[in-house]
Amino acid sequence: MRQPPDERVKRMLDFIGVKSLEELFREIPEQARLSRELDLPGPLLEWELLAHLRNMASSNVHSLEATHFLGAGCYDHHVFSATKSLIRRGEFFTAYTPYQPELSQGTLQAMFEFQSYVCRLAGMEVANASMYDGATALAEAILMAQRLRPGRTRVVISGALHPEYRAVVRTITHPLGLELLEVEPDSSWETHWERVQACINPQTCCLVLQNPNFFGTIEDMYQLQEAGEAIHRVEGLLILVVVETTSLGLLRPPGELGADIFVGEGQPLGLPMSFGGPHLGLLATKEAFLRQVPGRLVGLSHDSRGKRGYVLTLATREQHIRRERATSNICTNQALCALAVTIQLALLGPLGLKEVALRSSQAAFTAMEALAGLPGLAIPQRRIYNEFVVQTPVEPGLLNRELLNRGIMGGLDLGRFNPAWKGKWLLCCTEKSSREDISKLVSSLEELLA
């Protein structure tokens, strides 16, 4: 191995007590070492480098411009150009945590407006100034429920909750010794209500449900409310998760369904897919539970002259108060992502959000009906929002690879989460899914399944 002609490298090697880079890396197995020089091209002039990078980037255009039928927690909704432009303003894009309210009134006001929008979406009384993402927000909500119901260790979780959310909850709550009971969904891809209610007992601190659920099914409202009543009878809390939050343009908000804590994912409300992140966690609850809300909360007040002002009313994280009193150890509030969602919702308004939800749902029903007519495919669901499960005789991963060659981003192979879901394919539509896009998917599948 050739050593760089740098005296600093020699000094570092001397400091750690080795004579050469070869000796430093001797612990690496021989078969794992590169025995030749890296095959890298020579240096380029700046304009040559830019041309080379543009050429490399062009190879990604095919997948970037593909028609999307993939959802499952990250959705291809339209983000307004105004939203993208405004969040890039310097006062927002480079701003950090508003510890000094006299210098951060704009940021604090935006976060206050964000909280107000979340409360309206959720039908709840208070919301925090955002969480890291939906999955970690759910884990924080469960910890919040345990603080509100001390001494209880059982958490009942619907198996129709997103599998990755369940995995995050298991990871974060494992050291606490909580008893997580995950009840697998029934054959129609809905929560198994009888088993869920059978798991609820006086040791249950909370029940976690998702609506629309991971499979796209809109859960039965009466069953959902009955389950909420069952957990309330033992004085436990109902946590209702909404991952595809555009659905709240059509569906009843969680607060009206009896939820004590709402958890949501903000990505569908104004953030691009961006290869899977960053996302934005939403959390709202009743005012009675305010002191146990994790993270930050921005409040509105008035000074001695009656002028309106915004402050961090609650900042219950480890950086702010003693560790044992902190209600959150997640060190971000995703302020820029929250601002994007705030701008997007302001531009949409209630009617605009309802229009997005209607168009997404109508596109999904159009696709579902068209695919149901193809031989070999089976679709068991009827009450959906914008996602649905397709049972296919061909391995979904193979279908996805073939579809991508035709400029179509296929659905999610559910078999990756559960062997019992092998051959099940989760497809998604949004307001961007045109009839032409759906026809292209149907005709492509018709050829592939022939």
Side-chain angles (χ1 to χ4, degrees):
M1 181 182 294
R2 186 176 61 193
Q3 293 191 19
D6 192 332
E7 183 62 28
R8 290 173 300 177
V9 173
K10 184 178 184 306
R11 289 203 302 271
M12 286 188 285
L13 294 174
D14 289 342
F15 182 80
I16 59 178
V18 295
K19 296 179 180 179
S20 65
L21 288 175
E22 286 85 350
E23 185 178 347
L24 176 64
F25 294 116
R26 192 166 292 159
E27 295 299 318
I28 300 175
E30 187 69 33
Q31 63 270 25
R33 301 184 202 177
L34 187 66
S35 58
R36 57 173 174 78
E37 293 290 328
L38 289 173
D39 185 17
L40 297 176
L44 299 174
L45 297 172
E46 183 174 328
W47 57 86
E48 293 173 331
L49 176 60
L50 289 172
H52 177 62
L53 292 174
R54 279 194 294 268
N55 184 55
M56 292 176 65
S58 66
S59 64
N60 295 324
V61 170
H62 176 73
S63 59
L64 289 174
E65 293 183 349
T67 302
H68 280 265
F69 291 97
L70 178 63
C74 189
Y75 299 93
D76 185 31
H77 289 289
H78 177 68
V79 179
F80 293 127
S81 297
T83 302
K84 299 174 185 176
S85 177
L86 289 171
I87 64 168
R88 291 189 177 98
R89 289 179 62 94
E91 58 266 41
F92 292 126
F93 204 62
T94 61
Y96 185 54
T97 309
Y99 288 115
Q100 296 175 276
E102 65 274 18
L103 299 177
S104 307
Q105 283 299 293
T107 298
L108 286 165
Q109 181 176 354
M111 293 166 72
F112 183 85
E113 298 295 344
F114 165 78
Q115 292 171 180
S116 302
Y117 279 130
V118 174
C119 285
R120 290 186 65 182
L121 280 172
M124 306 298 280
E125 295 168 334
V126 293
N128 67 9
S130 85
M131 306 295 289
Y132 184 68
D133 61 10
T136 50
L138 174 58
E140 295 275 5
I142 291 172
L143 298 181
M144 174 183 166
Q146 192 194 28
R147 290 193 298 272
L148 289 164
R149 298 294 182 264
R152 299 193 180 196
T153 57
R154 175 172 288 196
V155 178
V156 180
I157 301 176
S158 167
L161 174 70
H162 197 305
E164 291 174 353
Y165 280 51
R166 288 190 273 157
V168 170
V169 167
R170 285 193 294 268
T171 298
I172 292 179
T173 62
H174 175 72
L176 305 177
L178 292 181
E179 179 190 11
L180 302 181
L181 297 181
E182 301 180 37
V183 182
E184 287 304 305
D186 64 20
S187 57
S188 58
W189 306 104
E190 296 184 44
T191 294
H192 202 302
W193 298 108
E194 291 182 5
R195 292 181 184 173
V196 162
Q197 294 206 39
C199 291
I200 296 172
N201 67 14
Q203 276 299 304
T204 307
C205 70
C206 62
L207 166 64
V208 181
L209 304 172
Q210 178 180 335
N211 187 52
N213 68 28
F214 172 63
F215 309 105
T217 301
I218 298 173
E219 298 282 12
D220 185 284
M221 293 296 103
Y222 297 107
Q223 296 278 16
L224 194 155
Q225 288 178 304
E226 282 186 14
E229 291 169 2
I231 188 68
H232 289 151
R233 278 196 292 272
V234 298
E235 298 183 353
L237 303 177
L238 174 61
I239 299 175
L240 193 54
V241 180
V242 183
V243 180
E244 227 302 20
T245 34
T246 62
S247 64
L248 294 173
L250 288 178
L251 303 181
R252 290 175 63 187
E256 291 185 12
L257 297 173
D260 298 291
I261 305 173
F262 157 75
V263 169
E265 173 53 62
Q267 183 274 328
L269 299 173
L271 299 175
M273 298 179 82
S274 297
F275 302 98
H279 282 194
L280 169 69
L282 313 178
L283 191 147
T285 188
K286 299 176 179 179
E287 189 172 1
F289 303 148
L290 177 63
R291 288 291 172 182
Q292 292 301 330
V293 170
R296 297 187 178 106
L297 192 145
V298 177
L300 169 64
S301 186
H302 294 83
D303 64 16
S304 59
R305 293 173 293 177
K307 292 186 65 177
R308 183 176 60 183
Y310 299 91
V311 295
L312 274 181
T313 303
L314 288 178
T316 54
R317 306 187 311 161
E318 288 178 338
Q319 304 99 305
H320 303 117
I321 65 175
R322 292 195 302 274
R323 182 184 182 94
E324 65 273 13
R325 295 184 60 200
T327 58
S328 174
N329 62 4
I330 293 179
C331 301
T332 181
N333 71 349
Q334 299 295 82
L336 190 65
C337 295
L339 175 66
V341 166
T342 305
I343 295 170
Q344 181 85 358
L345 288 174
L347 292 170
L348 277 172
L351 293 179
L353 183 61
K354 182 177 181 179
E355 182 70 15
V356 168
L358 278 171
R359 287 176 178 269
S360 299
S361 184
Q362 289 168 354
F365 274 101
T366 299
M368 190 168 68
E369 290 173 4
L371 291 172
L374 296 183
L377 298 185
I379 303 174
Q381 294 155 288
R382 287 296 174 264
R383 195 175 60 250
I384 65 161
Y385 171 54
N386 69 337
E387 294 181 270
F388 55 95
V389 178
V390 178
Q391 185 166 340
T392 169
V394 179
E395 196 266 316
L398 176 60
L399 288 179
N400 285 337
R401 288 190 291 273
E402 293 296 327
L403 287 172
L404 190 58
N405 291 331
R406 300 167 183 240
I408 300 172
M409 187 74 71
L412 178 71
D413 180 2
L414 293 177
R416 64 183 284 189
F417 296 115
N418 189 331
W421 300 346
K422 185 177 181 181
K424 310 297 190 299
W425 199 30
L426 184 64
L427 294 176
C428 174
C429 293
T430 68
E431 76 280 8
K432 294 169 65 175
S433 305
S434 66
R435 288 188 175 272
E436 291 74 20
D437 293 337
I438 294 169
S439 296
K440 183 179 178 182
L441 173 68
V442 173
S443 59
S444 297
L445 286 174
E446 200 168 17
E447 292 176 19
L448 293 172
L449 295 170

